[in-house]
């Protein structure tokens, strides 16, 4: 069941799980006319999934390539490079995974190693996660590649480059315990950041959550490494690129904090006691769009929170229970570039669907 007063469209078929990729990768095409989603072949998740292009009416216009194994968290992680090219992932294993640039007009595919994490259309460069050149006994992602318009590597870095940016007064885990993830471009493409953490290692070792979870940023040529500071979960760039916004948890509450992009480590609190998990700030910098789990994770709201006074408006509410990474689904709300629509995933009928909510006409 979905409750909203706003126009709502379901994207793709209703008889199979469908989802868009992530809260910081908008599924909408640059021209605003289409969206890219993952369509699973059956209710089995993890399982085979196909990438589909859907129209604003929700109907599938075309599918791309053959099905490949995907998890419920991000599916095939389809994203747009421009109006004629999309990128898709092949498989879920970082050790052997690949991604492709698919030309919609010709069907041509250019296949590359690793996992494309984010693309910046303004500078024509992508950020790729991979295991790295040095063998890691825990199979952690320890390499970063900046790639060009064809997917070829321009520059790269690894955990040792990131460790070199960590100040001496900060705790530094052994290099083999560290993981690089969630690479994200600044709005102008001048810089990108990486989440630099031992969280995955500690989970593998049965040690619980992270003891080291930080942000390190580089310029677009993977130079000028800067340590920005520690956080708890789900960082994003501010719309003006002056800082990275993230949640910092303490006790039963969490605050939205700002980590300055200049590396000064003068961290400030933007808003106290913020609910939710996956948040994105609208392009005007005024609102946080975030999913807020409720009723012991059996329901969820997509909320708009005013960043000046903390006022919350629930835009849509729905039942939603499966939050695991491999076999569950996350809502991952993300606004369109023009701020007029919000895309999200919901299990309103027990099967995950991808929806677009119209905020204005």
């Amino acid at each position: 069941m979905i409750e909203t007063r706003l126009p709502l469209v379901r994207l793709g078929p209703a008889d199979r799980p469908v989802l868009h990729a992530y809260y910081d990768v908008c599924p909408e095409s640059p021209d605003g006319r289409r969206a890219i989603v993952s369509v699973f072949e059956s209710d089995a998740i993890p399982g085979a999934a196909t990438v589909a292009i859907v129209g604003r009416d929700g109907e599938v216009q075309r599918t791309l390539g053959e099905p490949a194994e995907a998890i419920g968290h991000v599916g095939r992680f389809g994203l747009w490079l421009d109006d004629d090219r999309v990128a898709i992932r092949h498989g879920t294993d970082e050790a052997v995974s690949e991604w492709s640039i698919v030309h919609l007009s010709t069907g041509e595919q250019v296949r590359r190693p690793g996992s494309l994490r984010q693309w910046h259309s303004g500078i024509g460069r992508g950020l790729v996660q991979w295991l790295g050149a040095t063998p890691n006994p825990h199979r952690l992602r320890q390499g970063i590649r900046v790639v060009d318009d064809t997917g070829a590597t321009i520059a790269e870095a690894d955990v040792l480059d990131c460790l070199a940016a960590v100040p001496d007064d900060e705790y530094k885990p052994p290099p083999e315990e560290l993981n690089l993830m969630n690479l994200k471009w600044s709005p102008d493409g001048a810089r990108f950041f990486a989440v630099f953490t031992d969280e995955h290692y500690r989970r593998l070792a049965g040690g619980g959550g992270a003891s080291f979870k930080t942000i390190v940023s580089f310029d677009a040529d993977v130079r000028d490494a800067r340590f920005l500071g520690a956080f708890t979960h789900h960082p994003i760039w501010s719309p003006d690129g002056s800082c990275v916004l993230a949640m910092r948890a303490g006790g039963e509450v969490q605050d939205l904090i700002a980590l300055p992009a200049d590396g000064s480590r003068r961290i400030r609190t933007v808003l106290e006691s913020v609910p939710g998990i996956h948040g994105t700030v609208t392009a005007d910098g005024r609102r946080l769009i975030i999913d807020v789990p409720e009723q012991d994770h059996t329901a969820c709201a997509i909320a708009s929170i005013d960043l000046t006074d903390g006022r919350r408006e629930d835009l849509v509410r729905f039942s939603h229970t499966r939050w695991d990474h491999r076999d569950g689904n996350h809502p991952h709300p993300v606004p369109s570039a023009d701020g007029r629509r919000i895309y999200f995933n919901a299990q309103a009928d027990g099967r995950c669907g991808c929806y677009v909510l119209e905020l204005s006409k």
Side-chain angles (χ1 to χ4, degrees):
M1 179 178 178
I2 296 184
E3 299 175 357
T4 183
R5 295 188 297 271
L6 298 169
L8 186 73
V9 175
R10 184 169 188 158
L11 304 177
D15 63 346
R16 285 169 287 167
V18 178
L19 54 86
H20 79 88
Y22 209 47
Y23 76 102
D24 59 7
V25 176
C26 184
E28 186 172 286
S29 59
D31 64 12
R33 298 167 53 194
R34 298 159 293 167
I36 187 168
V37 297
S38 295
V39 180
F40 283 81
E41 297 289 284
S42 72
D43 285 322
I45 299 176
T50 302
V51 177
I53 305 297
V54 297
R56 290 283 296 278
D57 60 0
E59 295 298 317
V60 173
Q61 295 180 350
R62 64 184 295 181
T63 57
L64 305 177
E66 298 298 320
E69 186 76 1
I71 61 174
H73 185 222
V74 296
R76 297 286 300 278
F77 210 88
L79 55 85
W80 295 90
L81 277 60
D82 52 44
D83 282 321
D84 183 54
R85 296 180 303 159
V86 300
I88 59 176
R89 287 186 186 175
H90 305 282
T92 62
D93 189 340
E94 291 288 341
V96 296
S97 63
E98 295 180 306
W99 63 283
S100 285
I101 298 174
V102 182
H103 295 252
L104 300 180
S105 58
T106 65
E108 176 191 1
Q109 289 197 29
V110 179
R111 201 155 174 142
R112 294 293 187 185
S115 296
L116 181 68
R117 177 56 183 81
Q118 204 174 63
W119 182 263
H120 195 290
S121 58
I123 64 171
R125 292 188 179 186
L127 298 169
V128 172
Q129 300 173 166
W130 67 300
L131 287 181
T134 303
N136 180 278
H138 313 296
R139 291 168 60 87
L140 300 176
R141 289 168 292 187
Q142 296 203 320
I144 299 169
R145 284 175 171 151
V146 174
V147 298
D148 67 13
D149 203 49
T150 69
T153 300
I154 296 174
E156 53 190 318
D158 61 19
V159 292
L160 296 181
D161 298 305
C162 293
L163 270 176
V166 179
D168 291 337
D169 61 348
E170 293 283 339
Y171 165 66
K172 300 181 184 183
E176 66 271 14
E177 297 178 5
L178 289 165
N179 190 65
L180 293 164
M181 56 191 290
N182 289 345
L183 313 176
K184 300 178 188 181
W185 286 113
S186 62
D188 63 0
R191 300 191 66 82
F192 70 89
F193 73 70
V195 173
F196 189 36
T197 179
D198 67 354
E199 187 169 35
H200 284 332
Y201 168 77
R202 288 177 63 81
R203 287 176 180 170
L204 290 171
S211 64
F212 179 84
K213 194 168 185 180
T214 62
I215 299 288
V216 173
S217 80
F218 295 87
D219 68 17
D221 294 314
V222 200
R223 301 172 302 198
D224 187 24
R226 300 175 188 173
F227 177 80
L228 303 192
F231 73 106
T232 303
H233 69 90
H234 293 100
I236 51 173
W237 284 97
S238 64
D240 63 2
S242 65
C243 62
V244 173
L245 301 169
M247 296 296 184
R248 180 174 60 193
E252 297 182 356
V253 299
Q254 62 182 6
D255 299 333
L256 182 68
I257 61 171
L259 297 83
D262 61 8
S264 65
R265 292 195 284 166
R266 293 190 292 266
I267 298 173
R268 62 183 176 86
T269 299
V270 176
L271 199 62
E272 295 181 341
S273 301
V274 179
I277 300 178
H278 309 92
T280 301
V281 176
T282 53
D284 59 12
R286 297 170 56 188
R287 295 173 296 150
L288 178 71
I289 305 299
I290 194 165
D291 48 9
V292 183
E294 299 178 336
Q295 301 173 28
D296 195 26
H297 277 68
T298 63
C300 183
I302 304 299
S304 172
I305 298 176
D306 191 309
L307 290 178
T308 60
D309 57 19
R311 285 185 299 175
R312 170 180 166 179
E313 176 189 3
D314 287 351
L315 304 174
V316 58
R317 303 170 66 88
F318 47 89
S319 57
H320 191 93
T321 56
R322 296 176 61 198
W323 290 73
D324 291 338
H325 280 70
R326 287 193 59 78
D327 63 358
N329 311 105
H330 290 191
H332 291 158
V334 56
S336 59
D338 61 9
R340 299 175 66 179
R341 290 167 295 282
I342 293 175
Y343 293 83
F344 65 96
N345 305 316
Q347 292 176 263
D349 59 1
R351 176 183 290 124
C352 186
C354 183
Y355 297 85
V356 57
L357 192 71
E358 294 283 348
L359 301 182
S360 62
K361 292 294 185 180

